[in-house]
Structures are given as structure tokens and as C-alpha cells.
């Protein structure tokens, strides 16, 4: 997998309607929405009245035809795409399924993983994952019945914001539930601030995982489009 292309200049579609609170629109046209989700906001509604506020609901208040294509964990921030209408959603979902969407994350992990030097080649984590039904919403490594799961990682050029930690660039080749979080825990370097897979760290108040870059084929034209979201930590 090649490095992601430099993001194109993409401006949100002009609109006179107010943008709902907490909705950051990076790009909007008649077929595609690209949003920047804050940490702590659900991507889709959960169970219960207190879990109805979410990114998709906020987007649909402004764009009623917006349909979810993929998700980020509530604790993860960064880029999310939505299709406008059933056909756009179908084409985007197919692009994800066929791995024509390239995603890159940045994370801060406990310790110093042994691997390529900063900015050099990528290392891989190839461990099968499955939902841990007895401890939901956790997932786990299971070599018997787990689904094939592959993550590429390398030490980032920028230093970590905390002592004894490392900033990593991450590329999930597959898209299993909690894949990055479980894979990094499995090699002994959980993501800092992870309430499910890492020890408590009083120095942070969030999971230090951010969906930083994404390249996706436009659902109407097929043109590759690249987007980026600055890392907030």
C-alpha cells in the first residue's frame, strides 16, 4: 500500500442553512460528505434516549439524505465519510469492501515498539480478531475462530506528547471492530487513554487515536479524493 496522496483542496458546498452544533464539514457536494468527528461523539445512535445525539444525526439535520458508510469508535476522532442517497452509499460501501479506500491514523502508545526507524518502512501486525462476546464491547485475538486482520504501522516522525510513549502512523488493511486498539495491545503497546485495553493514564482525558487521512473514490465520478484532519494531540 502506497502512502496517501496529498489532500486536494476541497471546499464544503455553500449553504444558507446553519450547520448543527458540533458538526465540522470538510467537504460536501450532491453525492459525498466528509466530516471531522470529535472524540466522545457517537458515529451512529446507540441504545437509549441519552445516546441519540451522534454524528450521523447531526449530519442528517443539515443533509437529510446523508447515509452512514463506515464508523469510528466513540472515543476516536477524525475523518468520516457519508453518502448522499442510497446509490452514493452503495458505491462508497463497495469501495470500502474492495479496499479502494485508504485510511491513515495516528496514535500515541505506551512504551517504544521495536520496528522500523521513524519515517522508514512499515511493520505489520497480522493477528485474527473476533468480538469477545463475554466482555462486549471488547474484541480479542483468537487464532481458532478469529477473522484475518492486518494492520500496518511505523514510528511517526513527530515525537509523542508524553514521556515513555511513542507516536505511531497506522494503516488498517482490514476493518475489524477495535482492530487498531486490540492489535497494539496484543504487541504490548496499548494506545494511551484507551478505557478498554490500556491501564489508566491520569495525564490524558481521551483515547489518543485520530483518523488523520483518507483517500476515497468519489461515488459519482470515481475520481480519487484525499482529505486530511490535523491531529489534535
Amino acid at each position: 500500500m502506497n502512502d496517501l496522496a496529498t489532500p486536494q483542496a476541497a471546499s464544503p458546498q455553500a449553504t444558507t442553512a446553519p450547520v448543527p452544533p458540533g458538526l465540522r464539514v470538510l467537504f460536501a457536494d450532491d453525492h459525498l460528505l466528509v466530516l471531522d468527528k470529535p472524540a466522545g461523539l457517537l458515529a451512529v445512535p446507540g441504545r437509549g434516549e441519552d445516546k441519540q445525539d451522534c454524528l450521523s444525526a447531526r449530519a442528517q439535520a443539515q443533509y437529510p439524505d446523508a447515509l452512514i458508510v463506515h464508523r469510528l469508535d466513540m472515543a476516536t476522532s477524525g475523518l468520516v465519510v457519508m453518502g448522499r442517497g442510497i446509490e452514493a452509499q452503495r458505491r462508497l460501501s463497495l469501495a470500502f469492501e474492495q479496499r479502494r479506500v485508504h485510511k491513515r491514523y495516528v496514535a500515541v502508545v505506551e512504551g517504544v515498539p521495536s520496528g522500523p526507524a521513524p519515517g522508514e518502512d512499515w511493520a505489520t501486525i497480522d493477528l485474527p480478531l473476533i468480538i469477545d462476546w463475554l466482555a462486549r464491547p471488547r474484541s480479542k485475538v483468537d487464532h481458532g475462530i478469529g477473522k484475518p486482520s492486518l494492520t500496518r504501522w511505523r514510528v511517526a516522525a513527530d515525537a509523542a506528547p508524553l514521556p515513555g510513549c511513542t507516536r505511531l502512523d497506522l494503516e488498517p488493511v482490514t476493518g475489524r471492530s477495535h482492530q487498531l486498539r486490540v492489535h497494539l495491545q496484543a504487541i504490548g503497546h496499548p494506545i494511551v487513554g484507551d478505557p478498554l485495553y490500556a491501564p489508566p493514564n491520569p495525564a490524558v482525558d481521551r483515547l489518543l487515536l485520530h483518523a488523520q487521512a483518507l483517500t476515497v473514490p468519489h461515488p459519482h465520478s470515481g475520481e480519487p479524493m484525499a482529505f486530511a484532519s490535523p491531529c489534535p494531540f
Side-chain angles (χ1 to χ4, degrees):
M1 187 182 301
N2 295 327
D3 285 355
L4 298 181
T6 301
Q8 301 172 1
S11 300
Q13 185 182 44
T15 176
T16 57
V19 175
L23 184 68
R24 185 180 179 205
V25 181
L26 300 186
F27 178 86
D29 66 11
D30 291 339
H31 309 277
L32 175 68
L33 285 180
V34 182
L35 309 171
D36 198 353
K37 187 185 87 68
L41 179 68
L42 289 166
V44 297
R47 294 181 180 178
E49 290 298 321
D50 61 331
K51 295 182 177 62
Q52 297 310 295
D53 180 29
C54 61
L55 185 73
S56 62
R58 294 183 185 187
Q60 288 161 358
Q62 176 72 20
Y63 306 95
D65 59 352
L67 298 173
I68 199 75
V69 175
H70 68 122
R71 306 179 187 185
L72 291 180
D73 293 339
M74 179 177 179
T76 304
S77 56
L79 297 168
V80 176
V81 301
M82 297 183 73
R84 298 194 63 185
I86 293 293
E87 182 60 22
Q89 181 195 43
R90 185 191 69 81
R91 292 185 181 186
L92 287 167
S93 297
L94 186 62
F96 274 89
E97 180 182 339
Q98 296 175 342
R99 298 181 185 173
R100 292 185 287 123
V101 178
H102 295 163
K103 297 174 286 182
R104 182 171 297 171
Y105 293 71
V106 60
V108 176
V109 301
E110 302 279 356
V112 182
S114 58
E120 293 187 359
D121 203 2
W122 295 76
T124 60
I125 305 171
D126 187 359
L127 294 171
L129 301 178
I130 192 169
I131 298 293
D132 188 346
W133 294 105
L134 297 180
R136 294 184 69 184
R138 293 171 59 96
S139 292
K140 63 180 180 178
V141 174
D142 190 312
H143 292 279
I145 58 175
K147 296 181 179 179
S149 307
L150 184 65
T151 296
R152 287 159 38 96
W153 69 272
R154 69 182 182 188
V155 176
D158 295 336
L162 299 170
C165 298
T166 306
R167 188 185 298 271
L168 299 182
D169 295 324
L170 304 168
E171 289 187 353
V173 179
T174 51
R176 309 301 179 197
S177 178
H178 293 183
Q179 177 176 314
L180 300 178
R181 299 164 66 178
V182 179
H183 269 177
L184 289 164
Q185 180 208 37
I187 65 169
H189 299 284
I191 300 175
V192 175
D194 194 329
L196 295 179
Y197 304 103
N201 189 321
V204 299
D205 60 1
R206 59 156 292 179
L207 172 71
L208 298 189
L209 178 63
H210 180 71
Q212 184 178 47
L214 182 145
T215 299
V216 59
H218 189 276
H220 180 68
S221 68
E223 175 189 4
M225 303 190 71
F227 301 92
S229 168
C231 182
F233 49 82

